[in-house]
Amino acid sequence: MTNDKRQIMKLNSQLFLDGGDPEETKAANELLKTGKPEWGIGIQGQTTNPTLVAKNPDVQKYIASGKRLTQSEALAEYKKIVMAVAEVTKGPISIQVIGDQSTTKEDMLAQARVYKEWIPNGVVKFPCIGNGLAAAEIFCQEFPVNITLNFSQEQAAAVYGATSKRRHHVFISPFVGRLDDRGENGMQVVENELRMYQSIKNHVEVLTASVRKIEHLLYAIALGSPAITIPFKIIEVWAAQGFPLPDDSFMYDSTGLRPIPFRQLDVAKNWRSFNLSHSLTDAGLHKFMEDWRSLL
Ligand code: E4P
């Protein structure tokens, strides 16, 4: 006889799909609805980015035929994808501004105002760089925002200040997998940001991103990350296991990963005084731009 007193944790996180193929959105929605009818949810939102748009099967087919898109045709494809996803979920759908370190605040704002008209449940993604936060500072008073390419707690402190006048939802997307890839404990950025935000009157919702394995997902659920964006492949693996939730004995195994310690930061400081620079933010921006340009 077993005397197992382990308690299964409650699912307090919203589950988003990380993808650029509306067929995956439909399939992920069905998997959740039929696999866990008692949760009463399907996919609760989606995140997209230029790399995921470039990987969309229709876009890929077009590019494979040797043709290229104009900038406005590429944006029309992006809009088509986002509108098809919005047929499946009424939850937040993140749409990313296209730009790099040289893109001005005004340019990002102009793009954001175009995206705002695409769907009612849009969220505009701005990169976690100076101009991205300056644009988000204004735009969060008009529409929901998601600050992407987040790799440090210090960046998250700046996001808090930059969006203090928000009138809509504010998400921040820490990229755990990309930190793991270079030997750092990415999940600790999620831990640290949740801890920092929980200690203050907070409005920023941590959206765990760059999820590469079930353990990332389960630990984000255990930590109570308000939202988690999950690639379709991981949803399939989770579904095949019967959508297990972590129990109260769950331990995240970070063996071999360098720790990222918590820092006491004064979020009340002017957001511009925080150090926003991170090499993975720069590399990520570069790659997003490269993938977008591969279509043009
Ligand atoms: C979602 O918002 C992010 O763009 C995505 O999770 C990044 O994932 P990746 O690191 O696997 O590209």
Side-chain angles (χ1 to χ4, degrees):
M1 212 172 84
T2 58
N3 185 18
D4 196 342
K5 295 216 176 82
R6 286 180 303 174
Q7 294 284 324
I8 302 295
M9 291 185 182
K10 280 217 175 79
L11 176 64
N12 289 322
S13 306
Q14 288 212 303
L15 306 176
F16 297 169
L17 178 71
D18 198 17
D21 177 3
E23 291 306 313
E24 283 187 353
T25 316
K26 287 183 206 157
N29 198 43
E30 277 312 301
L31 279 177
L32 271 160
K33 276 188 170 166
T34 55
K36 273 287 176 190
E38 62 272 35
W39 288 353
I41 56 164
I43 274 298
Q44 294 166 293
Q46 180 144 340
T47 52
T48 67
N49 66 40
T51 304
L52 295 168
V53 171
K55 283 187 183 157
N56 170 279
D58 292 340
V59 173
Q60 276 291 306
K61 214 182 307 155
Y62 190 81
I63 298 302
S65 72
K67 296 185 222 148
R68 289 293 177 271
L69 299 160
T70 62
Q71 174 75 9
S72 63
E73 284 170 341
L75 279 174
E77 286 303 315
Y78 198 175
K79 181 176 179 182
K80 205 162 86 189
I81 292 167
V82 164
M83 288 182 76
V85 168
E87 293 288 310
V88 185
T89 176
K90 299 296 163 228
I93 301 173
S94 291
I95 315 167
Q96 189 163 321
V97 300
I98 315 287
D100 57 21
Q101 294 282 4
S102 67
T103 310
T104 62
K105 169 182 98 176
E106 289 74 21
D107 186 0
M108 290 195 207
L109 267 174
Q111 291 186 50
R113 288 183 178 133
V114 170
Y115 293 164
K116 184 180 163 183
E117 304 304 322
W118 285 4
I119 47 166
N121 49 329
V123 174
V124 175
K125 259 173 145 182
F126 294 92
C128 202
I129 57 174
N131 286 348
L133 291 196
E137 184 172 32
I138 297 169
F139 196 67
C140 69
Q141 300 176 49
E142 302 173 24
F143 206 65
V145 299
N146 175 1
I147 309 304
T148 191
L149 289 167
N150 162 231
F151 295 96
S152 75
Q153 188 196 335
E154 189 154 353
Q155 289 177 330
V159 169
Y160 178 88
T163 56
S164 61
K165 297 206 176 84
R166 87 283 165 202
R167 294 214 189 98
H168 300 270
H169 277 283
V170 174
F171 294 98
I172 183 167
S173 296
F175 277 29
V176 301
R178 294 192 194 186
L179 282 159
D180 282 16
D181 288 347
R182 66 172 206 183
E184 293 182 82
N185 184 2
M187 282 307 298
Q188 240 178 331
V189 175
V190 174
E191 276 174 37
N192 295 342
E193 292 182 1
L194 287 169
R195 180 173 159 192
M196 176 174 74
Y197 290 147
Q198 274 155 10
S199 69
I200 52 174
K201 192 171 176 297
N202 177 47
H203 61 272
V204 185
E205 299 177 54
V206 175
L207 196 180
T208 301
S210 186
V211 164
R212 300 274 161 76
K213 51 184 185 181
I214 284 283
E215 289 74 15
H216 285 153
L217 168 62
L218 295 182
Y219 191 36
I221 292 173
L223 287 170
S225 178
I228 307 165
T229 189
I230 320 162
F232 184 63
K233 280 200 177 105
I234 306 286
I235 294 188
E236 282 185 310
V237 174
W238 196 30
Q241 296 176 2
F243 291 109
L245 290 176
D247 62 40
D248 53 9
S249 68
F250 178 85
M251 297 276 282
Y252 178 67
D253 183 4
S254 60
T255 311
L257 296 172
R258 287 190 301 283
I260 302 180
F262 179 78
R263 295 177 56 194
Q264 283 302 341
L265 296 171
D266 178 9
V267 294
K269 274 191 347 188
N270 184 327
W271 69 264
R272 289 173 201 273
S273 66
F274 289 107
N275 179 12
L276 286 174
S277 100
H278 197 289
S279 58
L280 288 179
T281 303
D282 294 340
L285 265 180
H286 181 78
K287 178 78 171 85
F288 282 142
M289 203 54 164
E290 194 175 73
D291 288 341
W292 183 257
R293 288 203 178 114
S294 73
L295 307 178
L296 308 178

Short mmCIF file of all heavy atoms in Angstrom, two decimals, residues 18 21 35 39 41 64 70 82 87 102 136 155 160 169 175 186 192 203-205 211 229 231 244 257 268 273 282:
data_model
loop_
_atom_site.label_atom_id
_atom_site.label_comp_id
_atom_site.label_asym_id
_atom_site.label_seq_id
_atom_site.Cartn_x
_atom_site.Cartn_y
_atom_site.Cartn_z
N ASP A 18 3.28 29.08 -28.85
CA ASP A 18 4.38 29.85 -29.44
C ASP A 18 4.51 29.37 -30.88
O ASP A 18 5.07 28.30 -31.11
CB ASP A 18 5.65 29.53 -28.63
CG ASP A 18 6.76 30.53 -28.82
OD1 ASP A 18 6.49 31.64 -29.31
OD2 ASP A 18 7.90 30.20 -28.44
N ASP A 21 1.91 29.10 -37.22
CA ASP A 21 1.10 28.31 -38.14
C ASP A 21 -0.29 28.12 -37.52
O ASP A 21 -0.43 27.38 -36.54
CB ASP A 21 1.79 26.95 -38.38
CG ASP A 21 0.96 26.05 -39.27
OD1 ASP A 21 -0.10 26.48 -39.75
OD2 ASP A 21 1.40 24.89 -39.47
N GLY A 35 -8.01 16.63 -24.35
CA GLY A 35 -7.13 15.90 -23.43
C GLY A 35 -7.42 16.23 -21.98
O GLY A 35 -7.21 15.41 -21.09
N TRP A 39 -10.27 21.00 -17.38
CA TRP A 39 -9.68 22.34 -17.23
C TRP A 39 -10.58 23.39 -17.90
O TRP A 39 -10.49 24.57 -17.58
CB TRP A 39 -8.28 22.40 -17.87
CG TRP A 39 -7.23 21.66 -17.10
CD1 TRP A 39 -7.38 21.09 -15.87
CD2 TRP A 39 -5.88 21.42 -17.50
NE1 TRP A 39 -6.20 20.49 -15.49
CE2 TRP A 39 -5.26 20.68 -16.48
CE3 TRP A 39 -5.13 21.74 -18.64
CZ2 TRP A 39 -3.93 20.27 -16.54
CZ3 TRP A 39 -3.81 21.34 -18.71
CH2 TRP A 39 -3.21 20.61 -17.67
N ILE A 41 -10.41 24.61 -20.85
CA ILE A 41 -9.68 25.61 -21.65
C ILE A 41 -9.14 24.97 -22.94
O ILE A 41 -8.93 23.78 -23.01
CB ILE A 41 -8.47 26.22 -20.90
CG1 ILE A 41 -7.50 25.11 -20.43
CG2 ILE A 41 -8.91 27.09 -19.74
CD1 ILE A 41 -6.13 25.60 -20.04
N ALA A 64 10.38 28.87 -51.06
CA ALA A 64 11.06 27.71 -51.67
C ALA A 64 10.90 27.72 -53.19
O ALA A 64 11.74 27.16 -53.91
CB ALA A 64 10.50 26.42 -51.10
N THR A 70 7.54 41.54 -51.04
CA THR A 70 7.89 42.92 -50.70
C THR A 70 7.61 43.07 -49.20
O THR A 70 6.94 42.23 -48.60
CB THR A 70 7.02 43.94 -51.46
OG1 THR A 70 5.66 43.73 -51.06
CG2 THR A 70 7.16 43.79 -52.97
N VAL A 82 -2.02 36.10 -38.22
CA VAL A 82 -2.57 36.59 -36.95
C VAL A 82 -4.10 36.53 -36.97
O VAL A 82 -4.74 36.14 -35.98
CB VAL A 82 -2.03 38.03 -36.70
CG1 VAL A 82 -2.84 38.73 -35.64
CG2 VAL A 82 -0.55 37.98 -36.32
N GLU A 87 -9.10 33.52 -35.10
CA GLU A 87 -10.34 32.74 -35.29
C GLU A 87 -10.42 31.64 -34.24
O GLU A 87 -11.49 31.16 -33.93
CB GLU A 87 -10.34 32.05 -36.66
CG GLU A 87 -10.43 32.99 -37.85
CD GLU A 87 -11.83 33.58 -37.96
OE1 GLU A 87 -12.78 32.80 -37.92
OE2 GLU A 87 -11.93 34.82 -38.03
N SER A 102 18.82 50.02 -34.48
CA SER A 102 18.78 51.29 -35.21
C SER A 102 17.34 51.77 -35.46
O SER A 102 17.14 52.86 -35.99
CB SER A 102 19.52 51.16 -36.55
OG SER A 102 18.78 50.29 -37.38
N ALA A 136 7.14 51.52 -25.93
CA ALA A 136 6.15 50.81 -25.10
C ALA A 136 5.60 51.74 -24.01
O ALA A 136 4.43 51.63 -23.62
CB ALA A 136 6.79 49.58 -24.47
N GLN A 155 16.66 44.27 -16.67
CA GLN A 155 15.77 44.68 -17.76
C GLN A 155 14.31 44.68 -17.26
O GLN A 155 13.53 45.58 -17.59
CB GLN A 155 15.87 43.71 -18.95
CG GLN A 155 17.19 43.80 -19.72
CD GLN A 155 17.25 42.76 -20.84
OE1 GLN A 155 16.67 41.68 -20.75
NE2 GLN A 155 17.97 43.08 -21.90
N TYR A 160 9.18 47.53 -15.63
CA TYR A 160 8.21 47.95 -14.61
C TYR A 160 8.03 49.47 -14.65
O TYR A 160 6.91 49.99 -14.73
CB TYR A 160 8.69 47.50 -13.22
CG TYR A 160 7.77 47.93 -12.10
CD1 TYR A 160 6.69 47.13 -11.72
CD2 TYR A 160 7.98 49.13 -11.42
CE1 TYR A 160 5.84 47.54 -10.71
CE2 TYR A 160 7.13 49.54 -10.41
CZ TYR A 160 6.06 48.73 -10.05
OH TYR A 160 5.21 49.13 -9.05
N HIS A 169 -2.91 45.51 -20.42
CA HIS A 169 -2.01 44.47 -19.92
C HIS A 169 -0.57 44.74 -20.36
O HIS A 169 -0.33 45.17 -21.49
CB HIS A 169 -2.41 43.10 -20.47
CG HIS A 169 -3.51 42.47 -19.68
ND1 HIS A 169 -3.31 41.87 -18.47
CD2 HIS A 169 -4.83 42.37 -19.95
CE1 HIS A 169 -4.46 41.41 -18.01
NE2 HIS A 169 -5.40 41.71 -18.89
N PHE A 175 13.33 34.81 -21.85
CA PHE A 175 13.64 33.71 -22.78
C PHE A 175 14.51 32.67 -22.07
O PHE A 175 15.74 32.76 -22.07
CB PHE A 175 14.41 34.26 -23.98
CG PHE A 175 13.56 34.87 -25.07
CD1 PHE A 175 12.34 35.46 -24.80
CD2 PHE A 175 14.00 34.86 -26.39
CE1 PHE A 175 11.56 36.03 -25.81
CE2 PHE A 175 13.24 35.41 -27.41
CZ PHE A 175 12.02 36.00 -27.12
N GLY A 186 18.26 29.62 -17.12
CA GLY A 186 17.23 30.55 -17.61
C GLY A 186 16.02 30.64 -16.71
O GLY A 186 15.43 31.71 -16.54
N ASN A 192 13.45 35.01 -10.40
CA ASN A 192 13.88 36.31 -9.86
C ASN A 192 12.87 37.41 -10.19
O ASN A 192 12.58 38.27 -9.35
CB ASN A 192 15.25 36.70 -10.43
CG ASN A 192 16.34 35.74 -9.99
OD1 ASN A 192 16.16 34.99 -9.02
ND2 ASN A 192 17.47 35.75 -10.69
N HIS A 203 2.28 45.35 -11.85
CA HIS A 203 1.34 45.26 -12.98
C HIS A 203 1.93 44.45 -14.14
O HIS A 203 1.27 44.29 -15.16
CB HIS A 203 1.00 46.66 -13.48
CG HIS A 203 2.21 47.41 -13.97
ND1 HIS A 203 3.01 48.18 -13.14
CD2 HIS A 203 2.78 47.47 -15.19
CE1 HIS A 203 4.01 48.68 -13.85
NE2 HIS A 203 3.90 48.26 -15.09
N VAL A 204 3.17 43.99 -14.02
CA VAL A 204 3.83 43.31 -15.15
C VAL A 204 3.65 41.79 -15.03
O VAL A 204 3.98 41.20 -14.00
CB VAL A 204 5.34 43.64 -15.21
CG1 VAL A 204 5.97 43.01 -16.46
CG2 VAL A 204 5.58 45.14 -15.19
N GLU A 205 3.12 41.17 -16.08
CA GLU A 205 2.86 39.73 -16.05
C GLU A 205 4.00 38.96 -16.73
O GLU A 205 4.31 39.23 -17.90
CB GLU A 205 1.54 39.43 -16.76
CG GLU A 205 0.37 40.12 -16.07
CD GLU A 205 -0.95 39.91 -16.80
OE1 GLU A 205 -1.30 38.75 -17.05
OE2 GLU A 205 -1.60 40.90 -17.12
N VAL A 211 10.54 28.23 -24.28
CA VAL A 211 10.38 26.95 -23.57
C VAL A 211 10.86 25.84 -24.49
O VAL A 211 10.40 25.73 -25.62
CB VAL A 211 8.89 26.78 -23.18
CG1 VAL A 211 8.56 25.35 -22.78
CG2 VAL A 211 8.51 27.76 -22.07
N THR A 229 4.33 30.55 -22.82
CA THR A 229 4.12 30.29 -24.25
C THR A 229 4.88 29.03 -24.63
O THR A 229 6.08 28.90 -24.32
CB THR A 229 4.44 31.52 -25.12
OG1 THR A 229 3.99 31.23 -26.45
CG2 THR A 229 5.89 31.94 -25.12
N PRO A 231 5.87 25.90 -27.45
CA PRO A 231 5.88 25.42 -28.84
C PRO A 231 4.98 24.20 -29.00
O PRO A 231 4.81 23.42 -28.06
CB PRO A 231 7.35 25.04 -29.07
CG PRO A 231 8.12 25.62 -27.93
CD PRO A 231 7.16 25.76 -26.79
N PRO A 244 0.33 16.06 -17.39
CA PRO A 244 0.58 16.07 -15.94
C PRO A 244 0.90 17.47 -15.45
O PRO A 244 1.49 18.28 -16.18
CB PRO A 244 1.82 15.17 -15.81
CG PRO A 244 2.52 15.28 -17.13
CD PRO A 244 1.41 15.43 -18.15
N LEU A 257 23.91 24.03 -15.00
CA LEU A 257 23.63 25.40 -15.46
C LEU A 257 24.15 26.40 -14.42
O LEU A 257 23.94 26.20 -13.21
CB LEU A 257 22.13 25.60 -15.68
CG LEU A 257 21.50 24.74 -16.78
CD1 LEU A 257 19.97 24.89 -16.79
CD2 LEU A 257 22.07 25.11 -18.16
N ALA A 268 11.59 51.65 -8.29
CA ALA A 268 11.02 53.02 -8.30
C ALA A 268 11.96 54.00 -9.01
O ALA A 268 11.59 55.13 -9.32
CB ALA A 268 10.75 53.47 -6.87
N SER A 273 17.70 54.48 -15.92
CA SER A 273 18.97 54.31 -15.20
C SER A 273 19.38 52.83 -15.10
O SER A 273 20.48 52.52 -14.66
CB SER A 273 18.86 54.93 -13.80
OG SER A 273 17.91 54.20 -13.04
N ASP A 282 20.74 41.53 -28.07
CA ASP A 282 21.31 41.99 -29.35
C ASP A 282 21.30 40.86 -30.39
O ASP A 282 20.89 41.06 -31.53
CB ASP A 282 22.76 42.47 -29.16
CG ASP A 282 22.82 43.71 -28.28
OD1 ASP A 282 21.78 44.39 -28.15
OD2 ASP A 282 23.89 43.99 -27.71
#
